[in-house]
Amino acid sequence: MSTDKAPPDLDPVIHAQARLRVVAALNVLADGDEMAFGSMKELLGMTAGNLSVHLTKLEEAGYVRITKTHKGRTPVTFVALTRRGRLAFEEYTKAIRALLDNAGGVT
């Protein structure tokens, strides 16, 4: 069975499993809310180095905003999904749904 419809493009920045988990975790926060780096590391079960590398890629794409501050004398890093990141995740989930809907199979 052939179709004229090309499969949807999947955003390569979000498609990597670790980055998908990061964006999905941030997407549940209200617009403008942020999550502490340590909380995200624990939630996702990632090492600090691994999470940091993926956050850098997401930040370079404009999908997350990273804010470094201090709580007393202790440095704290917060991460938030940007509007661009939220829209990219929405497009990504639409593309995945379309891909799965067109995959066929038994219903």
Side-chain angles (χ1 to χ4, degrees):
M1 180 170 109
S2 77
T3 178
D4 293 343
K5 208 173 194 185
D9 288 333
L10 299 176
D11 185 327
V13 175
I14 294 176
H15 192 63
Q17 181 186 1
R19 291 192 294 272
L20 176 58
R21 292 171 59 217
V22 168
V23 173
L26 291 171
N27 192 62
V28 300
L29 300 176
D31 199 20
D33 282 357
E34 50 194 12
M35 183 181 291
F37 180 90
S39 298
M40 179 176 289
K41 182 174 77 87
E42 190 175 311
L43 175 71
L44 300 176
M46 297 172 73
T47 65
N50 192 19
L51 179 56
S52 203
V53 165
H54 290 293
L55 286 175
T56 298
K57 288 198 180 286
L58 290 166
E59 184 179 38
E60 287 170 352
Y63 292 174
V64 298
R65 181 185 71 250
I66 298 173
T67 307
K68 296 180 184 254
T69 187
H70 286 81
K71 199 173 201 178
R73 291 179 178 238
T74 307
V76 182
T77 301
F78 291 101
V79 184
L81 198 59
T82 63
R83 175 127 180 89
R84 180 176 181 179
R86 205 168 286 277
L87 291 172
F89 184 66
E90 186 178 307
E91 288 302 312
Y92 178 85
T93 56
K94 283 181 191 173
I96 285 286
R97 285 188 182 103
L99 186 66
L100 295 175
D101 287 346
N102 293 326
V106 179
T107 54

